[in-house]
Amino acid sequence: MEDGLEDGTAGCGQCWATLSLGVARWELKGQATRRPEGKGETSPPPLFFPPCSLTMWTFMLLGLLCASASASAIQARSSSYNGEYGSGGGERFSHSGHQLEGPITALRVRVNSFFIVGLQVRYGKVWSDYVGGKLGDLEEIFLHPGESVIQVSGKYKYYLRKLVFVTDKGRYLSFGKDTGTSFNAVPLHPNTVLRFISGRAGLFVNAIGLHWDNYPSNYASNCRSNC
């Protein structure tokens, strides 16, 4: 967040410098084009806005533009990504569009004796498409109202073997077997949560990617208390 503020402040400084130079050039140009009085030449008609008024409005407009740029920089710094964890086989999938339905509210994970076979995630009240194979036991866990995933760890070897979703309520939602290469993923920016997943899947889940961002503001007032 501090980096975002610094970038926004630096951008504003450049904007102010550019505007100051432009105003100085405008004033110099105005002085250069004034005609001497008493030489039989008429002076140009006065501007609708006096120069000081024009300068004031220009600086005010630039201030608004800089504030908007700073806010955009800060918002852009809220998202982060971890992954992919696993192998490169299978077909690529992404739930990027499903995040518009709301926060993650439930998980379905199919497992067998060795691998994570399939995945399905509920966003708001809408389930994503199921990815992966059909053999194995399907486990389903619902998050509490307002509960979010803030950490994901697991293991993989050829395919995903284990997934553990840690929530901000202190719950550990574990699926699969404890064998393979370990990974641990957390968001880069504070106060952000798991917003959607991506990865690769075929007969099993080959790989997973984790996308973090702010909890959706349109759900903050109603879904956290009654989802």
Side-chain angles (χ1 to χ4, degrees), residues 58-85:
T58 306
F59 273 97
M60 289 178 63
L61 177 60
L62 183 67
L64 292 174
L65 293 175
C66 286
S68 176
S70 298
S72 298
I74 293 171
Q75 184 176 7
R77 292 300 185 99
S78 66
S79 62
S80 59
Y81 170 76
N82 299 119
E84 288 181 327
Y85 302 107

Side-chain angles (χ1 to χ4, degrees), residues 139-202:
E139 302 179 30
E140 180 179 89
I141 296 181
F142 285 82
L143 274 65
H144 298 153
E147 187 176 21
S148 299
V149 175
I150 58 172
Q151 179 181 351
V152 180
S153 60
K155 296 194 174 185
Y156 62 91
K157 185 176 182 181
Y158 307 119
Y159 307 100
L160 286 185
R161 292 176 176 263
K162 184 176 184 178
L163 284 172
V164 181
F165 298 88
V166 183
T167 77
D168 55 0
K169 303 297 184 182
R171 291 206 295 165
Y172 288 73
L173 314 178
S174 181
F175 307 90
K177 305 300 181 181
D178 193 15
T179 180
T181 302
S182 299
F183 69 88
N184 183 55
V186 294
L188 178 62
H189 304 290
N191 303 318
T192 54
V193 301
L194 184 65
R195 292 292 287 114
F196 70 94
I197 66 171
S198 61
R200 294 177 174 275

Side-chain angles (χ1 to χ4, degrees), residues 10-123:
C12 283
Q14 294 176 356
C15 292
W16 285 111
T18 302
L19 179 65
S20 299
L21 181 59
V23 170
R25 288 177 174 173
W26 177 83
E27 291 176 345
L28 289 174
K29 183 178 178 181
Q31 294 175 2
T33 55
R34 293 194 186 100
R35 297 176 180 178
E37 297 181 0
K39 300 296 184 179
E41 299 178 357
T42 58
S43 301
L47 295 173
F48 181 77
F49 290 106
C52 60
S53 178
L54 177 61
T55 302
M56 178 186 69
W57 283 106
T58 306
F59 273 97
M60 289 178 63
L61 177 60
L62 183 67
L64 292 174
L65 293 175
C66 286
S68 176
S70 298
S72 298
I74 293 171
Q75 184 176 7
R77 292 300 185 99
S78 66
S79 62
S80 59
Y81 170 76
N82 299 119
E84 288 181 327
Y85 302 107
S87 70
E91 295 184 4
R92 184 172 295 280
F93 70 89
S94 175
H95 293 173
S96 60
H98 290 82
Q99 64 175 321
L100 301 177
E101 302 292 341
I104 293 175
T105 55
L107 302 165
R108 286 175 180 162
V109 182
R110 188 182 298 277
V111 299
N112 64 13
S113 300
F114 304 100
F115 307 115
I116 302 293
V117 178
L119 285 172
Q120 192 174 18
V121 181
R122 194 178 80 157
Y123 298 87

